[in-house]
Every structure is written in structure tokens, then in C-alpha cells.
mmCIF file of all heavy atoms in Angstrom:
data_model
loop_
_atom_site.group_PDB
_atom_site.id
_atom_site.type_symbol
_atom_site.label_atom_id
_atom_site.label_comp_id
_atom_site.label_asym_id
_atom_site.label_seq_id
_atom_site.Cartn_x
_atom_site.Cartn_y
_atom_site.Cartn_z
ATOM 1 N N ALA A 26 113.866 -10.907 -38.480
ATOM 2 C CA ALA A 26 113.883 -11.986 -39.537
ATOM 3 C C ALA A 26 113.552 -13.354 -38.881
ATOM 4 O O ALA A 26 112.814 -14.159 -39.524
ATOM 5 C CB ALA A 26 115.189 -12.016 -40.215
ATOM 6 N N GLU A 27 114.041 -13.640 -37.725
ATOM 7 C CA GLU A 27 113.711 -14.914 -37.028
ATOM 8 C C GLU A 27 112.241 -14.956 -36.705
ATOM 9 O O GLU A 27 111.626 -16.004 -36.877
ATOM 10 C CB GLU A 27 114.549 -15.003 -35.737
ATOM 11 C CG GLU A 27 116.043 -15.007 -36.044
ATOM 12 C CD GLU A 27 116.883 -14.824 -34.794
ATOM 13 O OE1 GLU A 27 116.316 -14.333 -33.762
ATOM 14 O OE2 GLU A 27 118.088 -14.978 -34.845
ATOM 15 N N ALA A 28 111.701 -13.917 -36.164
ATOM 16 C CA ALA A 28 110.258 -13.856 -35.757
ATOM 17 C C ALA A 28 109.415 -14.067 -36.980
ATOM 18 O O ALA A 28 108.406 -14.783 -36.925
ATOM 19 C CB ALA A 28 109.913 -12.576 -35.057
ATOM 20 N N MET A 29 109.741 -13.417 -38.106
ATOM 21 C CA MET A 29 108.976 -13.541 -39.315
ATOM 22 C C MET A 29 109.084 -15.008 -39.846
ATOM 23 O O MET A 29 108.076 -15.566 -40.318
ATOM 24 C CB MET A 29 109.463 -12.602 -40.387
ATOM 25 C CG MET A 29 109.102 -11.144 -40.149
ATOM 26 S SD MET A 29 107.281 -10.909 -40.237
ATOM 27 C CE MET A 29 107.238 -9.278 -39.533
ATOM 28 N N ALA A 30 110.273 -15.566 -39.783
ATOM 29 C CA ALA A 30 110.449 -16.939 -40.302
ATOM 30 C C ALA A 30 109.613 -17.905 -39.449
ATOM 31 O O ALA A 30 108.877 -18.753 -40.107
ATOM 32 C CB ALA A 30 111.944 -17.313 -40.232
ATOM 33 N N VAL A 31 109.633 -17.835 -38.179
ATOM 34 C CA VAL A 31 108.851 -18.747 -37.347
ATOM 35 C C VAL A 31 107.378 -18.481 -37.489
ATOM 36 O O VAL A 31 106.589 -19.391 -37.702
ATOM 37 C CB VAL A 31 109.306 -18.587 -35.864
ATOM 38 C CG1 VAL A 31 108.351 -19.452 -34.954
ATOM 39 C CG2 VAL A 31 110.730 -19.105 -35.692
ATOM 40 N N ARG A 32 107.033 -17.235 -37.572
ATOM 41 C CA ARG A 32 105.572 -16.864 -37.709
ATOM 42 C C ARG A 32 104.974 -17.402 -38.959
ATOM 43 O O ARG A 32 103.877 -17.898 -39.034
ATOM 44 C CB ARG A 32 105.444 -15.350 -37.625
ATOM 45 C CG ARG A 32 104.024 -14.787 -38.080
ATOM 46 C CD ARG A 32 102.940 -15.309 -37.247
ATOM 47 N NE ARG A 32 101.601 -14.951 -37.736
ATOM 48 C CZ ARG A 32 100.827 -15.718 -38.481
ATOM 49 N NH1 ARG A 32 101.204 -16.923 -38.847
ATOM 50 N NH2 ARG A 32 99.636 -15.302 -38.839
ATOM 51 N N TRP A 33 105.690 -17.330 -40.095
ATOM 52 C CA TRP A 33 105.133 -17.670 -41.396
ATOM 53 C C TRP A 33 105.692 -18.947 -41.948
ATOM 54 O O TRP A 33 105.635 -19.168 -43.205
ATOM 55 C CB TRP A 33 105.382 -16.514 -42.366
ATOM 56 C CG TRP A 33 104.550 -15.319 -42.031
ATOM 57 C CD1 TRP A 33 105.008 -14.112 -41.521
ATOM 58 C CD2 TRP A 33 103.145 -15.221 -42.085
ATOM 59 N NE1 TRP A 33 103.934 -13.240 -41.263
ATOM 60 C CE2 TRP A 33 102.806 -13.914 -41.603
ATOM 61 C CE3 TRP A 33 102.142 -16.081 -42.508
ATOM 62 C CZ2 TRP A 33 101.457 -13.468 -41.544
ATOM 63 C CZ3 TRP A 33 100.789 -15.630 -42.431
ATOM 64 C CH2 TRP A 33 100.514 -14.321 -41.940
ATOM 65 N N HIS A 34 106.253 -19.861 -41.147
ATOM 66 C CA HIS A 34 106.878 -21.122 -41.677
ATOM 67 C C HIS A 34 105.804 -22.010 -42.353
ATOM 68 O O HIS A 34 106.158 -22.849 -43.161
ATOM 69 C CB HIS A 34 107.654 -21.835 -40.591
ATOM 70 C CG HIS A 34 106.782 -22.585 -39.588
ATOM 71 N ND1 HIS A 34 106.384 -22.000 -38.439
ATOM 72 C CD2 HIS A 34 106.272 -23.829 -39.628
ATOM 73 C CE1 HIS A 34 105.620 -22.912 -37.773
ATOM 74 N NE2 HIS A 34 105.607 -24.032 -38.459
ATOM 75 N N MET A 35 104.553 -21.832 -42.048
ATOM 76 C CA MET A 35 103.502 -22.670 -42.668
ATOM 77 C C MET A 35 103.129 -22.212 -44.058
ATOM 78 O O MET A 35 102.393 -22.897 -44.771
ATOM 79 C CB MET A 35 102.242 -22.619 -41.751
ATOM 80 C CG MET A 35 102.472 -23.310 -40.449
ATOM 81 S SD MET A 35 102.487 -25.109 -40.557
ATOM 82 C CE MET A 35 100.802 -25.419 -41.064
ATOM 83 N N GLY A 36 103.502 -20.973 -44.456
ATOM 84 C CA GLY A 36 103.193 -20.460 -45.794
ATOM 85 C C GLY A 36 101.689 -20.456 -46.070
ATOM 86 O O GLY A 36 100.946 -20.020 -45.215
ATOM 87 N N GLY A 37 101.274 -20.998 -47.127
ATOM 88 C CA GLY A 37 99.845 -20.983 -47.540
ATOM 89 C C GLY A 37 98.961 -21.853 -46.723
ATOM 90 O O GLY A 37 97.780 -21.812 -46.803
ATOM 91 N N PHE A 38 99.597 -22.733 -45.890
ATOM 92 C CA PHE A 38 98.766 -23.607 -44.965
ATOM 93 C C PHE A 38 98.356 -22.843 -43.713
ATOM 94 O O PHE A 38 97.563 -23.339 -43.015
ATOM 95 C CB PHE A 38 99.624 -24.837 -44.596
ATOM 96 C CG PHE A 38 99.945 -25.719 -45.748
ATOM 97 C CD1 PHE A 38 101.234 -25.689 -46.318
ATOM 98 C CD2 PHE A 38 98.994 -26.583 -46.271
ATOM 99 C CE1 PHE A 38 101.516 -26.548 -47.362
ATOM 100 C CE2 PHE A 38 99.330 -27.409 -47.350
ATOM 101 C CZ PHE A 38 100.593 -27.381 -47.848
ATOM 102 N N ASP A 39 98.956 -21.677 -43.478
ATOM 103 C CA ASP A 39 98.683 -20.912 -42.273
ATOM 104 C C ASP A 39 97.181 -20.394 -42.348
ATOM 105 O O ASP A 39 96.761 -20.014 -43.450
ATOM 106 C CB ASP A 39 99.637 -19.687 -42.188
ATOM 107 C CG ASP A 39 99.487 -18.977 -40.857
ATOM 108 O OD1 ASP A 39 98.550 -18.068 -40.797
ATOM 109 O OD2 ASP A 39 100.206 -19.216 -39.968
ATOM 110 N N GLU A 40 96.541 -20.393 -41.270
ATOM 111 C CA GLU A 40 95.096 -20.024 -41.239
ATOM 112 C C GLU A 40 94.937 -18.578 -41.787
ATOM 113 O O GLU A 40 93.962 -18.291 -42.444
ATOM 114 C CB GLU A 40 94.561 -20.075 -39.788
ATOM 115 C CG GLU A 40 94.373 -21.510 -39.322
ATOM 116 C CD GLU A 40 93.358 -22.338 -40.076
ATOM 117 O OE1 GLU A 40 92.349 -21.768 -40.541
ATOM 118 O OE2 GLU A 40 93.569 -23.533 -40.280
ATOM 119 N N ALA A 41 95.802 -17.638 -41.470
ATOM 120 C CA ALA A 41 95.665 -16.258 -41.935
ATOM 121 C C ALA A 41 95.812 -16.191 -43.421
ATOM 122 O O ALA A 41 95.073 -15.513 -44.105
ATOM 123 C CB ALA A 41 96.721 -15.376 -41.318
ATOM 124 N N ALA A 42 96.755 -16.946 -43.982
ATOM 125 C CA ALA A 42 96.950 -16.995 -45.427
ATOM 126 C C ALA A 42 95.753 -17.610 -46.127
ATOM 127 O O ALA A 42 95.267 -17.180 -47.137
ATOM 128 C CB ALA A 42 98.230 -17.730 -45.810
ATOM 129 N N ARG A 43 95.240 -18.741 -45.485
ATOM 130 C CA ARG A 43 94.080 -19.351 -46.074
ATOM 131 C C ARG A 43 92.833 -18.514 -45.991
ATOM 132 O O ARG A 43 91.916 -18.607 -46.784
ATOM 133 C CB ARG A 43 93.792 -20.684 -45.368
ATOM 134 C CG ARG A 43 94.902 -21.704 -45.738
ATOM 135 C CD ARG A 43 94.810 -22.979 -44.990
ATOM 136 N NE ARG A 43 93.488 -23.530 -44.705
ATOM 137 C CZ ARG A 43 93.250 -24.408 -43.745
ATOM 138 N NH1 ARG A 43 94.185 -24.934 -43.076
ATOM 139 N NH2 ARG A 43 91.962 -24.807 -43.566
ATOM 140 N N GLY A 44 92.888 -17.558 -45.066
ATOM 141 C CA GLY A 44 91.729 -16.631 -44.907
ATOM 142 C C GLY A 44 91.812 -15.407 -45.785
ATOM 143 O O GLY A 44 90.926 -14.568 -45.803
ATOM 144 N N GLY A 45 92.903 -15.319 -46.541
ATOM 145 C CA GLY A 45 93.042 -14.219 -47.513
ATOM 146 C C GLY A 45 94.082 -13.111 -47.155
ATOM 147 O O GLY A 45 94.293 -12.224 -47.907
ATOM 148 N N SER A 46 94.810 -13.324 -46.065
ATOM 149 C CA SER A 46 95.872 -12.340 -45.678
ATOM 150 C C SER A 46 97.025 -12.434 -46.653
ATOM 151 O O SER A 46 97.486 -13.526 -47.053
ATOM 152 C CB SER A 46 96.406 -12.637 -44.240
ATOM 153 O OG SER A 46 97.506 -11.810 -43.974
ATOM 154 N N PHE A 47 97.582 -11.276 -47.000
ATOM 155 C CA PHE A 47 98.676 -11.225 -47.920
ATOM 156 C C PHE A 47 100.000 -10.965 -47.110
ATOM 157 O O PHE A 47 101.051 -10.777 -47.715
ATOM 158 C CB PHE A 47 98.536 -10.084 -48.983
ATOM 159 C CG PHE A 47 97.463 -10.432 -49.969
ATOM 160 C CD1 PHE A 47 96.184 -9.843 -49.826
ATOM 161 C CD2 PHE A 47 97.655 -11.344 -50.992
ATOM 162 C CE1 PHE A 47 95.171 -10.167 -50.756
ATOM 163 C CE2 PHE A 47 96.700 -11.634 -51.897
ATOM 164 C CZ PHE A 47 95.446 -11.070 -51.781
ATOM 165 N N SER A 48 99.868 -10.949 -45.753
ATOM 166 C CA SER A 48 101.084 -10.663 -44.932
ATOM 167 C C SER A 48 102.193 -11.678 -45.193
ATOM 168 O O SER A 48 103.340 -11.316 -45.149
ATOM 169 C CB SER A 48 100.673 -10.705 -43.478
ATOM 170 O OG SER A 48 99.803 -9.648 -43.210
ATOM 171 N N VAL A 49 101.853 -12.961 -45.526
ATOM 172 C CA VAL A 49 102.861 -13.954 -45.753
ATOM 173 C C VAL A 49 103.722 -13.540 -46.956
ATOM 174 O O VAL A 49 104.921 -13.699 -46.962
ATOM 175 C CB VAL A 49 102.275 -15.373 -45.901
ATOM 176 C CG1 VAL A 49 101.422 -15.489 -47.128
ATOM 177 C CG2 VAL A 49 103.398 -16.432 -45.952
ATOM 178 N N SER A 50 103.134 -13.009 -47.977
ATOM 179 C CA SER A 50 103.865 -12.518 -49.219
ATOM 180 C C SER A 50 104.800 -11.413 -48.842
ATOM 181 O O SER A 50 105.935 -11.374 -49.283
ATOM 182 C CB SER A 50 102.888 -12.099 -50.260
ATOM 183 O OG SER A 50 102.112 -13.215 -50.709
ATOM 184 N N LEU A 51 104.316 -10.486 -48.060
ATOM 185 C CA LEU A 51 105.166 -9.349 -47.605
ATOM 186 C C LEU A 51 106.356 -9.849 -46.799
ATOM 187 O O LEU A 51 107.524 -9.435 -46.950
ATOM 188 C CB LEU A 51 104.405 -8.329 -46.837
ATOM 189 C CG LEU A 51 103.279 -7.618 -47.562
ATOM 190 C CD1 LEU A 51 102.442 -6.776 -46.597
ATOM 191 C CD2 LEU A 51 103.908 -6.739 -48.635
ATOM 192 N N ALA A 52 106.110 -10.819 -45.877
ATOM 193 C CA ALA A 52 107.167 -11.379 -45.041
ATOM 194 C C ALA A 52 108.203 -12.074 -45.942
ATOM 195 O O ALA A 52 109.407 -11.902 -45.690
ATOM 196 C CB ALA A 52 106.592 -12.303 -44.007
ATOM 197 N N TYR A 53 107.762 -12.868 -46.892
ATOM 198 C CA TYR A 53 108.664 -13.643 -47.753
ATOM 199 C C TYR A 53 109.477 -12.646 -48.647
ATOM 200 O O TYR A 53 110.648 -12.910 -48.930
ATOM 201 C CB TYR A 53 107.905 -14.598 -48.601
ATOM 202 C CG TYR A 53 107.413 -15.815 -47.859
ATOM 203 C CD1 TYR A 53 106.587 -16.774 -48.493
ATOM 204 C CD2 TYR A 53 107.754 -16.032 -46.525
ATOM 205 C CE1 TYR A 53 106.135 -17.872 -47.851
ATOM 206 C CE2 TYR A 53 107.307 -17.184 -45.891
ATOM 207 C CZ TYR A 53 106.523 -18.084 -46.512
ATOM 208 O OH TYR A 53 106.022 -19.187 -45.881
ATOM 209 N N ASP A 54 108.857 -11.584 -49.034
ATOM 210 C CA ASP A 54 109.565 -10.581 -49.889
ATOM 211 C C ASP A 54 110.677 -9.881 -49.105
ATOM 212 O O ASP A 54 111.704 -9.608 -49.705
ATOM 213 C CB ASP A 54 108.547 -9.535 -50.457
ATOM 214 C CG ASP A 54 109.163 -8.644 -51.430
ATOM 215 O OD1 ASP A 54 109.803 -9.105 -52.389
ATOM 216 O OD2 ASP A 54 109.014 -7.404 -51.253
ATOM 217 N N ARG A 55 110.434 -9.632 -47.888
ATOM 218 C CA ARG A 55 111.399 -8.841 -47.060
ATOM 219 C C ARG A 55 112.361 -9.664 -46.277
ATOM 220 O O ARG A 55 113.465 -9.175 -45.882
ATOM 221 C CB ARG A 55 110.609 -8.003 -46.061
ATOM 222 C CG ARG A 55 109.831 -6.915 -46.735
ATOM 223 C CD ARG A 55 109.032 -6.076 -45.768
ATOM 224 N NE ARG A 55 108.159 -5.160 -46.485
ATOM 225 C CZ ARG A 55 107.087 -4.634 -45.983
ATOM 226 N NH1 ARG A 55 106.763 -4.843 -44.733
ATOM 227 N NH2 ARG A 55 106.335 -3.811 -46.696
ATOM 228 N N TYR A 56 112.081 -10.908 -45.967
ATOM 229 C CA TYR A 56 112.881 -11.736 -45.119
ATOM 230 C C TYR A 56 113.152 -13.112 -45.719
ATOM 231 O O TYR A 56 112.380 -14.054 -45.618
ATOM 232 C CB TYR A 56 112.171 -11.992 -43.735
ATOM 233 C CG TYR A 56 111.923 -10.658 -43.008
ATOM 234 C CD1 TYR A 56 110.710 -10.047 -43.082
ATOM 235 C CD2 TYR A 56 112.911 -10.053 -42.259
ATOM 236 C CE1 TYR A 56 110.492 -8.873 -42.403
ATOM 237 C CE2 TYR A 56 112.728 -8.849 -41.599
ATOM 238 C CZ TYR A 56 111.473 -8.307 -41.653
ATOM 239 O OH TYR A 56 111.252 -7.075 -41.017
ATOM 240 N N PRO A 57 114.346 -13.225 -46.420
ATOM 241 C CA PRO A 57 114.685 -14.500 -47.047
ATOM 242 C C PRO A 57 114.711 -15.680 -46.073
ATOM 243 O O PRO A 57 114.377 -16.833 -46.508
ATOM 244 C CB PRO A 57 116.101 -14.274 -47.609
ATOM 245 C CG PRO A 57 116.153 -12.775 -47.793
ATOM 246 C CD PRO A 57 115.296 -12.187 -46.671
ATOM 247 N N LEU A 58 115.026 -15.471 -44.807
ATOM 248 C CA LEU A 58 114.995 -16.582 -43.857
ATOM 249 C C LEU A 58 113.653 -17.140 -43.739
ATOM 250 O O LEU A 58 113.488 -18.419 -43.623
ATOM 251 C CB LEU A 58 115.530 -16.084 -42.476
ATOM 252 C CG LEU A 58 115.535 -17.090 -41.320
ATOM 253 C CD1 LEU A 58 116.437 -18.302 -41.717
ATOM 254 C CD2 LEU A 58 116.033 -16.431 -40.019
ATOM 255 N N ALA A 59 112.577 -16.376 -43.852
ATOM 256 C CA ALA A 59 111.192 -16.886 -43.790
ATOM 257 C C ALA A 59 110.964 -17.858 -44.927
ATOM 258 O O ALA A 59 110.344 -18.891 -44.740
ATOM 259 C CB ALA A 59 110.184 -15.727 -43.770
ATOM 260 N N VAL A 60 111.375 -17.552 -46.152
ATOM 261 C CA VAL A 60 111.188 -18.411 -47.286
ATOM 262 C C VAL A 60 111.977 -19.709 -47.065
ATOM 263 O O VAL A 60 111.497 -20.794 -47.311
ATOM 264 C CB VAL A 60 111.660 -17.678 -48.606
ATOM 265 C CG1 VAL A 60 111.538 -18.664 -49.800
ATOM 266 C CG2 VAL A 60 110.890 -16.363 -48.818
ATOM 267 N N LYS A 61 113.251 -19.551 -46.644
ATOM 268 C CA LYS A 61 114.115 -20.695 -46.431
ATOM 269 C C LYS A 61 113.502 -21.657 -45.399
ATOM 270 O O LYS A 61 113.530 -22.909 -45.597
ATOM 271 C CB LYS A 61 115.499 -20.279 -46.019
ATOM 272 C CG LYS A 61 116.255 -19.516 -47.074
ATOM 273 C CD LYS A 61 117.576 -19.025 -46.596
ATOM 274 C CE LYS A 61 118.395 -18.332 -47.724
ATOM 275 N NZ LYS A 61 119.727 -17.896 -47.271
ATOM 276 N N LEU A 62 112.931 -21.174 -44.293
ATOM 277 C CA LEU A 62 112.403 -21.996 -43.256
ATOM 278 C C LEU A 62 111.157 -22.732 -43.822
ATOM 279 O O LEU A 62 110.960 -23.904 -43.548
ATOM 280 C CB LEU A 62 112.031 -21.199 -42.030
ATOM 281 C CG LEU A 62 111.478 -22.026 -40.848
ATOM 282 C CD1 LEU A 62 112.533 -23.081 -40.363
ATOM 283 C CD2 LEU A 62 111.100 -21.105 -39.721
ATOM 284 N N HIS A 63 110.344 -22.016 -44.543
ATOM 285 C CA HIS A 63 109.102 -22.628 -45.125
ATOM 286 C C HIS A 63 109.529 -23.785 -46.061
ATOM 287 O O HIS A 63 108.917 -24.854 -46.002
ATOM 288 C CB HIS A 63 108.346 -21.544 -45.863
ATOM 289 C CG HIS A 63 107.136 -22.121 -46.584
ATOM 290 N ND1 HIS A 63 106.122 -22.863 -45.948
ATOM 291 C CD2 HIS A 63 106.740 -22.065 -47.865
ATOM 292 C CE1 HIS A 63 105.227 -23.269 -46.824
ATOM 293 N NE2 HIS A 63 105.594 -22.826 -48.013
ATOM 294 N N LEU A 64 110.506 -23.509 -46.924
ATOM 295 C CA LEU A 64 110.926 -24.584 -47.841
ATOM 296 C C LEU A 64 111.516 -25.753 -47.086
ATOM 297 O O LEU A 64 111.221 -26.900 -47.474
ATOM 298 C CB LEU A 64 111.920 -24.007 -48.856
ATOM 299 C CG LEU A 64 111.404 -22.999 -49.828
ATOM 300 C CD1 LEU A 64 112.497 -22.352 -50.651
ATOM 301 C CD2 LEU A 64 110.324 -23.650 -50.735
ATOM 302 N N ALA A 65 112.302 -25.450 -46.080
ATOM 303 C CA ALA A 65 112.875 -26.597 -45.258
ATOM 304 C C ALA A 65 111.746 -27.423 -44.576
ATOM 305 O O ALA A 65 111.817 -28.641 -44.515
ATOM 306 C CB ALA A 65 113.866 -26.030 -44.233
ATOM 307 N N ASP A 66 110.755 -26.729 -44.051
ATOM 308 C CA ASP A 66 109.635 -27.371 -43.403
ATOM 309 C C ASP A 66 108.883 -28.297 -44.386
ATOM 310 O O ASP A 66 108.486 -29.422 -44.095
ATOM 311 C CB ASP A 66 108.740 -26.336 -42.738
ATOM 312 C CG ASP A 66 107.637 -26.950 -41.831
ATOM 313 O OD1 ASP A 66 107.957 -27.925 -41.155
ATOM 314 O OD2 ASP A 66 106.515 -26.395 -41.868
ATOM 315 N N LEU A 67 108.663 -27.728 -45.580
ATOM 316 C CA LEU A 67 107.962 -28.532 -46.631
ATOM 317 C C LEU A 67 108.745 -29.798 -47.010
ATOM 318 O O LEU A 67 108.212 -30.876 -47.054
ATOM 319 C CB LEU A 67 107.787 -27.678 -47.831
ATOM 320 C CG LEU A 67 106.639 -26.660 -47.903
ATOM 321 C CD1 LEU A 67 106.674 -25.864 -49.154
ATOM 322 C CD2 LEU A 67 105.286 -27.354 -47.748
ATOM 323 N N GLU A 68 110.076 -29.675 -47.249
ATOM 324 C CA GLU A 68 110.838 -30.818 -47.606
ATOM 325 C C GLU A 68 110.932 -31.831 -46.473
ATOM 326 O O GLU A 68 110.778 -33.052 -46.743
ATOM 327 C CB GLU A 68 112.258 -30.389 -48.022
ATOM 328 C CG GLU A 68 113.093 -31.617 -48.374
ATOM 329 C CD GLU A 68 114.415 -31.285 -49.017
ATOM 330 O OE1 GLU A 68 114.547 -30.239 -49.715
ATOM 331 O OE2 GLU A 68 115.342 -32.094 -48.891
#
């Protein structure tokens, strides 16, 4: 969960997500910590 949170903390700004990868959605669905870190980073 920690690795996923750090990996995907950029959300839709991440190069992979901007390139069309759906992995960020899978990570957010499975790991609430990843969503929480992304929201904290945005705020």
C-alpha cells in the first residue's frame, strides 16, 4: 500500500496516466492510502 501510494501520488499528472495507462485507477481502487496521499498532495 505504501509503494502504491508513493508511486501514484501524482494521479492524473503522472506521465503514465497522461499517456493512457489505467494502472492509477486500479491502484486507487485497491489501496485507499494511495488516494489519500494524492488528495493530500493536491491540497
Side-chain angles (χ1 to χ4, degrees):
E27 296 163 351
M29 288 294 168
V31 172
R32 166 61 186 98
W33 292 110
H34 76 270
M35 293 286 291
F38 297 102
D39 188 275
E40 291 295 324
R43 288 173 39 196
S46 172
F47 292 101
S48 296
V49 65
S50 295
L51 294 172
Y53 286 174
D54 187 52
R55 294 179 187 158
Y56 299 98
L58 179 59
V60 177
K61 292 177 180 185
L62 182 61
H63 175 57
L64 292 172
D66 190 36
L67 283 174
E68 180 170 329

